[in-house]
């Protein structure tokens, strides 16, 4: 299994438009964070988790030639805005793109991309197939994905586990029984916005480290990062040895 971090930034991305802070002015490529998303390649399948506003650039940068499905964590705009750009995959593959998500998430997508679901469709629009999922394991082309329900303030969001890999974004609370599903995972990705103060809907760095401590993965990566976290190089140096800040373009391989 190969996982590629397509984007690791919070909703505005890093740099933030109009911001002059040291992180937004940094020349380190690891301080340039597109909106959050990952690509997972496993057993010849190509999956993308969320299609944020930077989806097109992410597909081009990583030279992704084939897409089997999109799996959504939730319907916030920084996770859905780029969905129209699945069209080249529709054309190349001559097929619809299956979308997986909670029923509420797919309903929201139908509202925001109404033209793709209109009765009279104009030519060239995205061709999407909706697959509502519940909080129980489901299959995508023979691959088993297990949802992990996490809370993003009051919104239930799905994280996902595929084998030894787990991906949690946009959380600030995980119930005990959902945390249980993460146990034994070798690689855990979890969101961490900044060092502090406490945030309404996202884990801070100390809170994310606490989740990692409880799950005990071999390696953990932090994502959905704000410019307020600090410079990548400085924060990375302060973390425990098995915890890393993810950065755009980072690839991890699991046997
Ligand atoms: Zn988000
Ligand atoms: Zn800034
Ligand atoms: Zn969100």
């Amino acid at each position: 299994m190969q996982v590629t971090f397509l984007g690791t930034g919070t909703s505005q991305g890093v740099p933030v438009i109009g911001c002059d802070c040291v992180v937004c002015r940094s020349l380190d490529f690891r301080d340039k964070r597109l909106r959050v998303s990952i690509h997972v390649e496993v057993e010849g399948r190509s999956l993308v988790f969320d299609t944020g506003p930077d989806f097109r650039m992410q597909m081009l940068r990583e030279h992704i030639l084939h897409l089997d499905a999109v799996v959504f964590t939730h319907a916030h705009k920084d996770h859905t805005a780029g969905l129209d750009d699945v069209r080249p995959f529709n054309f190349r593959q001559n097929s619809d793109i299956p979308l997986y998500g909670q029923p509420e998430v797919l309903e929201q997508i139908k509202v925001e991309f109404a033209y793709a679901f209109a009765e009279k469709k104009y030519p060239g629009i995205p061709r999407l197939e909706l697959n509502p999922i519940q909080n129980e394991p489901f299959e995508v082309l023979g691959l088993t994905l297990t949802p992990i329900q996490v809370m993003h303030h009051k919104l239930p969001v799905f994280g996902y586990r595929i084998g030894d890999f787990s991906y949690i974004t946009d959380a600030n609370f995980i119930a005990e029984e959902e945390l249980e599903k993460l146990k034994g995972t070798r690689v855990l990705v979890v969101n961490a916005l900044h060092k502090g103060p406490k945030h309404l809907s996202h884990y801070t760095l100390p809170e994310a480290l606490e989740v990692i401590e409880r799950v005990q993965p071999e390696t953990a990566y932090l994502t959905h990062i704000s410019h307020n976290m600090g410079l990548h190089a400085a924060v990375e140096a302060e973390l425990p040895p098995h915890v890393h800040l993810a950065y755009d373009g980072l690839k991890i391989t699991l046997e």
Side-chain angles (χ1 to χ4, degrees):
M1 178 186 324
Q2 182 169 268
V3 177
T4 305
F5 287 89
L6 299 173
T8 58
T10 190
S11 61
Q12 296 184 79
V14 180
V16 175
I17 294 174
C19 184
D20 242 352
C21 80
V22 61
V23 175
C24 290
R25 284 187 290 113
S26 166
L27 297 178
D28 186 341
F29 71 96
R30 297 168 303 174
D31 286 316
K32 312 232 177 272
R33 303 183 186 277
L34 297 179
R35 268 56 70 87
V36 96
S37 176
I38 55 166
H39 177 249
V40 175
E41 203 176 308
V42 54
E43 293 167 27
R45 315 273 190 265
S46 170
L47 308 183
V48 162
F49 289 73
D50 296 328
T51 54
D54 303 311
F55 175 75
R56 175 174 174 274
M57 286 315 296
Q58 292 165 334
M59 295 301 100
L60 291 172
R61 189 190 73 210
E62 298 300 332
H63 200 57
I64 293 170
L65 303 177
H66 184 87
L67 181 64
D68 287 309
V70 178
V71 184
F72 285 101
T73 59
H74 64 307
H76 283 165
K77 210 65 168 182
D78 56 321
H79 298 253
T80 62
L83 182 58
D84 188 80
D85 283 318
V86 300
R87 293 180 303 131
F89 293 114
N90 290 143
F91 306 148
R92 280 176 68 87
Q93 299 166 198
N94 192 25
S95 64
D96 295 3
I97 295 293
L99 312 182
Y100 293 83
Q102 300 178 74
E104 300 75 16
V105 171
L106 300 182
E107 282 309 311
Q108 188 60 29
I109 283 171
K110 277 165 84 173
V111 171
E112 294 184 19
F113 299 89
Y115 57 94
F117 302 94
E119 213 154 288
K120 284 200 176 126
K121 297 181 171 70
Y122 58 85
I125 57 169
R127 288 163 51 191
L128 310 169
E129 174 202 295
L130 302 179
N131 299 280
I133 53 169
Q134 305 297 333
N135 188 9
E136 50 197 45
F138 63 100
E139 298 227 328
V140 178
L141 297 156
L143 276 177
T144 304
L145 275 69
T146 304
I148 318 290
Q149 192 191 70
V150 301
M151 294 307 290
H152 183 30
H153 185 41
K154 290 180 180 163
L155 181 71
V157 166
F158 276 0
Y160 295 97
R161 179 170 180 169
I162 311 173
D164 286 336
F165 173 77
S166 300
Y167 180 67
I168 307 287
T169 186
D170 292 63
N172 70 329
F173 175 79
I174 309 178
E176 202 54 52
E177 63 269 28
E178 299 297 315
L179 209 66
E180 273 309 304
K181 296 183 192 173
L182 294 170
K183 297 272 166 76
T185 198
R186 284 172 52 210
V187 175
L188 173 68
V189 179
V190 63
N191 62 297
L193 188 67
H194 54 214
K195 291 178 177 169
K198 204 171 169 58
H199 189 269
L200 183 70
S201 59
H202 286 278
Y203 281 134
T204 59
L205 177 60
E207 290 168 339
L209 290 174
E210 213 177 287
V211 172
I212 294 163
E213 188 57 36
R214 292 177 69 189
V215 174
Q216 294 279 326
E218 284 172 20
T219 316
Y221 296 90
L222 304 169
T223 194
H224 214 295
I225 295 163
S226 153
H227 62 152
N228 294 323
M229 179 70 92
L231 290 166
H232 180 98
V235 178
E236 177 71 22
E238 296 164 359
L239 296 174
H242 67 301
V243 182
H244 306 281
L245 285 192
Y247 55 87
D248 291 21
L250 171 66
K251 286 184 197 302
I252 50 181
T253 306
L254 280 94
E255 292 303 313

